Amino acid sequence: KIAKYNRTICVIFNKDMEAERKKYYRITSIAEEALKNDEFYFELQPKIDLKTKKTVGAEALVRWSRQDGTVVYPNEFVPIFEQNGFITKLDFYVYDKVCEYLLHRISHGKEVVPISVNVSRAHLKQDNFAKKVIRLVEQHRIAPEYLEFELTENIFLENSEQAKETLIELKNYGFKVSMDDFGSGYSSLNLLMNLEFDILKLDKDFLTDNIISKKEEVVIKSIIRMAKLMNMTVLCEGVETKEQVDFLERIQCDMVQGYYFGRPMKTEAFEECICS
Ligand code: C2E
Ligand code: MG
Ligand code: MG
Ligand code: MG
């Protein structure tokens, strides 16, 4: 492509880029092996109903437990796996583990709450995402109300038709779908006009600290009202303090997720949250 225009392109390669490139190859080369060795697992972070203060759901978040005992967080590897395509495999590994977990709980008569999983934009480049997840839950005999899907708005910017169809297929089957990180990027309001999300997850950047300015209050309040008028449930992410909880309660946010009520945790610890 470049040659066609007959231009000379000078690429400046600095030390940071070199380090990035090395990291890319290092992580890419060990990913498959790590998956086979069961080094990936998920943690659950509680979602709290603000009216009852009860845990009414959870989000599954992937972690990588390296052989040297260190735990690596998704911001370190998800972007790389989105580039090399490995994320589609890893996500299905997570979905599979979540289904296994749910089935285990259900078949032992234990209490369960719906678990949401994250969907990488890489899936939407293939057109069978919805069918693949439907097959997965059918294999595990999991009812769709136990599993929810979190889609970020950038998914719709890149493969908009594919993404819309996927959303409709997921919803028709009975899964709930949330718009994740709302407000962090382009926040196309037209996405909300044209698509039916069940849950709107307000990005954690809306709550930067304890001081909520008048403007911030107006914006957050308005988003909550708008979402409710569209029959969506509103969940605020990144809630860390009592002040934030009080504020969100006052403006009638439905649910919250954040360190104040619970960090992402191993499944055993999470079970204590729903039993108590
Ligand atoms: P996300 O889906 O928006 O998940 C919420 C992130 O916010 C999580 O980070 C969570 O630990 C963090 N968080 C929760 N409460 C608080 C809080 O009170 N304060 C602060 N500062 N942070 C809070 P985490 O686990 O590091 O995940 C980061 C991102 O990686 C996720 O953002 C999601 O986009 C992606 N991700 C995580 N797991 C998966 C996965 O299985 N598949 C894919 N494709 N992406 C994943
Ligand atoms: Mg999420
Ligand atoms: Mg989010
Ligand atoms: Mg954010």
Side-chain angles (χ1 to χ4, degrees):
K1 253 192 195 152
I2 293 169
K4 205 167 89 181
Y5 297 103
N6 200 20
R7 282 200 202 129
T8 306
I9 291 179
C10 174
V11 179
I12 298 167
F13 216 54
N14 63 27
K15 275 218 179 87
D16 283 353
M17 285 163 79
E18 177 64 12
E20 280 293 306
R21 198 181 59 87
K22 279 201 176 132
K23 187 178 162 197
Y24 178 91
Y25 286 111
R26 183 167 42 79
I27 291 189
T28 299
S29 68
I30 57 178
E32 287 282 353
E33 200 58 29
L35 191 66
K36 273 193 219 119
N37 293 339
D38 273 328
E39 289 176 30
F40 294 99
Y41 67 98
F42 68 87
E43 287 189 327
L44 293 175
Q45 185 178 31
K47 294 180 186 171
I48 312 293
D49 181 320
L50 268 183
K51 280 214 186 89
T52 62
K53 306 288 185 303
K54 286 216 165 100
T55 299
V56 290
E59 176 173 6
L61 296 153
V62 70
R63 270 90 183 88
W64 183 354
S65 167
R66 303 290 309 277
Q67 278 171 342
D68 62 7
T70 55
V71 174
V72 190
Y73 289 86
N75 290 341
E76 292 286 317
F77 57 83
V78 166
I80 293 176
F81 292 165
E82 284 186 326
Q83 280 181 57
N84 65 23
F86 185 70
I87 193 70
T88 53
K89 213 173 194 179
L90 180 59
D91 274 356
F92 271 91
Y93 179 85
V94 172
Y95 306 164
D96 194 56
K97 291 281 174 198
V98 168
C99 285
E100 261 176 30
Y101 171 72
L102 284 166
L103 190 66
H104 180 83
R105 297 281 299 171
I106 295 165
S107 61
H108 286 78
K110 303 264 175 63
E111 202 176 330
V112 279
V113 290
I115 298 178
S116 63
V117 293
N118 290 282
V119 179
S120 164
R121 56 187 172 188
H123 294 288
L124 282 306
K125 291 185 181 126
Q126 308 156 352
D127 64 357
N128 56 0
F129 178 76
K131 288 179 191 73
K132 273 167 76 183
V133 297
I134 291 167
R135 201 182 317 135
L136 183 79
V137 297
E138 287 183 347
Q139 275 165 0
H140 286 283
R141 296 169 194 272
I142 296 286
E145 67 247 39
Y146 292 116
L147 203 61
E148 297 176 0
F149 292 91
E150 299 197 1
L151 279 66
T152 53
E153 59 197 7
N154 62 26
I155 287 181
F156 296 90
L157 298 175
E158 282 179 29
N159 306 281
S160 86
E161 279 314 308
Q162 210 92 295
K164 276 182 201 168
E165 273 166 35
T166 302
L167 181 127
I168 292 167
E169 275 183 86
L170 291 171
K171 285 198 47 112
N172 284 347
Y173 188 75
F175 293 119
K176 282 199 175 135
V177 180
S178 38
M179 165 158 275
D180 199 359
D181 299 341
F182 182 78
S184 65
Y186 297 91
S187 298
S188 323
L189 290 172
N190 72 22
L191 283 180
L192 296 186
M193 285 194 276
N194 296 318
L195 301 166
E196 310 264 326
F197 292 95
D198 300 286
I199 301 139
L200 190 71
K201 296 191 79 175
L202 269 183
D203 192 76
K204 56 178 168 293
D205 285 353
F206 275 107
L207 298 177
T208 40
D209 49 39
N210 257 334
I211 306 140
I212 296 148
S213 72
K214 194 69 207 156
K215 269 192 186 165
E216 282 170 332
E217 176 165 343
V218 170
V219 171
I220 298 173
K221 246 186 188 166
S222 309
I223 295 174
I224 291 176
R225 276 188 62 186
M226 175 191 68
K228 287 191 172 181
L229 288 169
M230 292 179 168
N231 292 318
M232 286 185 276
T233 300
V234 188
L235 180 149
C236 201
E237 297 187 300
V239 175
E240 295 183 356
T241 66
K242 171 89 170 60
E243 286 79 359
Q244 293 170 340
V245 174
D246 292 343
F247 165 70
L248 292 166
E249 229 179 318
R250 186 159 58 75
I251 63 169
Q252 291 170 5
C253 178
D254 303 304
M255 292 204 261
V256 294
Q257 187 183 334
Y259 297 168
Y260 181 76
F261 285 107
R263 287 182 177 255
M265 57 189 104
K266 298 256 174 77
T267 53
E268 297 79 16
F270 179 76
E271 280 146 26
E272 294 185 8
C273 290
I274 52 172
C275 292
S276 57

